Amino acid sequence: MKAVLTAVSDRYEAGLVTTLERSRELTVARRCADLADLFAAVSAGLARVALVSGELRELDRSALDHLARAGVAVVGVHGPADEAAETRLRRLGLDVVVAADADTRALEGACVTVLQTAAADIPVAEADWVPGPAAAAPDGVDRAEGSVVAVWGPTGAPGRTTVAVTVAAELAAGGTPTLLVDADTWGGCVAQTLSLLDEAPGLAAAEHGSLDVAALARLAPEVTPPLRVLTGLPTAGRWPEIGAASLERVLTLARQVAAVTVVDCGFCLEDDEELSYDTPAPRHNATTLTALSLADTVVAVGAGEPIGLQRLVRGLRDLAALPCPDPVVVVNRVRAEAVGWHAERRIRDALERFPGVHGRAGSQPGAGAGARHEPPRPPGTPPLPDLPGLTCVAATGDGGRTHRRGPGGRRTMRGLIVDWGGVLTAPVHVAVRRWVESTGVLHDHYLAVVRRWVDPGPGESSPVHLLERGEMSVVDFERELAAALAAEGSAVEADGLVSAMFADLADYERSMTSLVGRARAAGVRTALLSNSWGNDYDRTDWDELFDAVVISGEVGLRKPEPEIFTLALQRIGLPARECVFVDDLPHNVEAATRLGMAGVVHRSYEDTASELTGHFPGAPWIRAGGDERGQLL
């Protein structure tokens, strides 16, 4: 029998549970009173499917995104004949929705459908669950798919908002329907820049699940035809109100509202989720990272003075590790007083000395200074307008290397290298958290120890690094870890500590292993590249999945050391420029991109498959149904 969780309105919970109890296929694992109770049940692994109602307090796209990342499929439940509640659930992104008075067979079918679609990536429409009709477009809104331009810049007020507003205004002045979105959660000021009242809900309203094309058009009124503005947060302290899933929904709908959507992003690119290891917590930088990953064009803005240029170069290196297009680099506030005579040429020459930034001199009509060199844009993306006073230099994330190019100027990729823990398995931090909870070890104590060991100080030895290179035995590592935890105040048995910690990684994520198997069957050379903590890998079907396997403890190297990436490339016989590397840790992906590989930071099967589509354009194996043989395939 399949265990399910319920978190529904008390108006019809009793009747729904009674119906479920008649089922021979389903059993109720827990009746959750609120969202926190549901998250706790999910973290405990009590079930893989949850029935939730729209009345659940704080149910929004971020909450559903958390459930999806935890591997729980969701069925929406609404009151009998309550069309408004059904519509709200569908707008939250739930395709499978049932009435609370549905019979046992209908509930079984709904639960089985969402479990199958989650496991095999089958479109819900193929299982006869079709979302309701799309809302009619409001007057003045075109249904054609538009493009997204993300404007980003490092800390130090380089003029991100000024450039974003000006780009949007110039596009609109040229007759292009444009939407300007303030997605800066650190201090957005688009409304103040345009002298607009900031009492409107703006972007924060998207989190509440009632957003469609018509609603977005109402929230983003025209300030001057054809320019619409979606204001941001009135105060920076309200940043938890905007989640990644909500912004993704906004930008998806924005493509139907305007021909070009210009997004003013925050400065910080740090993945705060990786730092906190706490998936239910909101992520301060989620909006910026999401906007960059969904953008068709990225504009990177820096200030034309020594400190601003230094911050820009460092920021471009961080930007290169993210799954976003090669940016157009814009240097703002170019003044001879800051850098000397021939300021434009000096700045361009300075930037071109750094890997990943290159261009050649040119001129902007009427600007008096500046050059514009942009990477190829997706078809239909209008060129960025010429703006007086800006110096633009094209940037790429590949260090300026020359690559084999396919049709349309894309790199031809022939290799796929993937990590093990957190990519082919459940997320590592989920496995660790379950181990912490089962042993009584305080999570803060564990983090304190591991953070010291993962990033040791100068001259300090790291047991984690020694273990990953195979220079320390698992038994010795377990003793050191147990002793370190005890010193923090959490006693734990040393024997078998590592195997218990990673017990949840024994089961593979079939969606990802199937993708790798399909890639190899299609002729892509594949490799596994894993940092091992002495793990007892289940190598069933590895011969069918991989052309090469590189385990850190077996070769005496570890990620992010460049030598281990070089070894993986040698074993599959391909140059770095023709390979894509997938890992769940951004610093490992950054190390791979510095060698010339394309990088994908894994968050979910859907996100990774979408990123791979950009690196392997037209490849049918990315989305095709795969061989489900054995535990892996």
Side-chain angles (χ1 to χ4, degrees), residues 401 417 527-529 548-550 555 557-577 579 581 588 591-597:
R401 297 175 178 85
I417 303 174
L528 176 70
L529 178 55
V549 172
V550 179
V555 300
L557 300 168
R558 61 179 295 273
K559 295 177 291 185
E561 295 169 353
E563 292 82 2
I564 196 168
F565 295 101
T566 302
L567 178 60
L569 293 169
Q570 291 173 349
R571 290 191 175 181
I572 60 174
L574 291 175
R577 64 179 178 272
C579 293
F581 176 65
N588 288 339
T593 59
R594 283 198 294 266
L595 294 176
M597 284 189 274

Side-chain angles (χ1 to χ4, degrees), residues 149-484:
V149 177
V151 180
W152 169 87
T155 186
R160 292 183 302 272
T161 299
T162 301
V163 171
V165 169
T166 307
V167 167
E170 290 293 317
L171 287 170
T176 301
T178 305
L179 172 63
L180 175 61
V181 178
D182 188 349
D184 186 353
T185 56
W186 290 93
C189 56
V190 167
Q192 291 82 356
T193 302
L194 296 175
S195 300
L196 300 176
L197 294 176
D198 59 2
E199 286 83 2
L203 190 60
E207 187 72 17
H208 302 297
S210 60
L211 196 68
D212 56 15
V213 173
L216 178 59
R218 289 194 300 271
L219 291 171
E222 283 190 340
V223 295
T224 179
L227 174 62
R228 295 176 178 270
V229 176
L230 183 64
T231 57
L233 298 174
T235 61
R238 293 176 59 182
W239 65 265
E241 296 181 25
I242 304 178
S246 298
L247 184 64
E248 182 174 352
R249 173 68 173 170
V250 168
L251 296 184
T252 299
L253 295 174
R255 294 179 184 273
Q256 302 177 40
V257 171
V260 180
T261 299
V262 180
V263 185
D264 181 20
C265 300
F267 69 91
C268 189
L269 301 179
E270 191 173 62
D271 194 337
D272 34 7
E273 181 181 33
E274 287 294 335
L275 293 178
S276 66
Y277 293 89
D278 191 0
T279 52
R283 298 162 54 204
H284 204 154
N285 306 320
T287 54
T288 296
L289 298 176
T290 301
L292 291 171
S293 68
L294 296 177
D296 301 300
T297 302
V298 173
V299 178
V301 183
E305 40 85 17
I307 295 177
L309 293 174
Q310 182 186 54
R311 288 170 173 167
L312 175 62
V313 169
R314 292 176 177 175
L316 289 174
R317 291 173 180 169
D318 295 335
L319 195 64
L322 299 179
C324 64
D326 297 341
V328 178
V329 179
V330 173
V331 179
N332 194 19
R333 301 173 180 169
V334 178
R335 297 171 295 121
E337 293 87 348
V339 295
W341 295 106
H342 306 293
E344 174 197 340
R345 186 179 64 190
R346 286 172 176 266
I347 290 173
R348 182 179 289 104
D349 290 345
L351 289 177
E352 289 180 357
R353 289 199 296 268
F354 294 92
V357 184
H358 55 89
R360 67 178 187 275
S363 63
Q364 298 181 21
R372 179 170 302 281
H373 305 287
E374 305 171 15
R377 293 181 300 274
T381 303
L384 294 176
D386 289 328
L387 304 176
L390 299 183
T391 297
C392 306
V393 181
T396 67
D398 53 34
R401 297 175 178 85
T402 301
H403 301 291
R404 180 195 300 263
R405 298 281 169 173
R410 293 181 178 270
R411 268 197 275 180
T412 298
M413 295 298 186
R414 298 192 294 155
L416 178 63
I417 303 174
V418 298
D419 181 32
W420 178 71
V423 176
L424 301 184
T425 73
V428 175
H429 63 82
V430 173
V432 171
R433 181 170 288 280
R434 289 177 179 172
W435 169 79
V436 164
E437 293 171 351
S438 67
T439 57
V441 171
L442 291 183
H443 195 230
D444 288 343
H445 293 171
Y446 171 81
L447 289 181
V449 173
V450 172
R451 283 172 176 166
R452 288 199 306 269
W453 288 0
V454 169
D455 189 17
E460 296 180 358
S461 177
S462 166
V464 168
H465 295 181
L466 294 175
L467 177 66
E468 290 178 340
R469 294 193 192 98
E471 299 169 356
M472 173 181 284
S473 70
V474 174
V475 172
D476 290 340
F477 177 83
E478 289 174 336
R479 291 172 181 167
E480 291 222 18
L481 180 56

Side-chain angles (χ1 to χ4, degrees), residues 120-155:
D121 191 35
I122 301 172
V124 171
E126 295 183 9
D128 297 327
W129 290 92
V130 183
D139 294 339
V141 174
D142 190 355
R143 281 290 190 183
E145 287 286 309
S147 60
V148 175
V149 177
V151 180
W152 169 87
T155 186

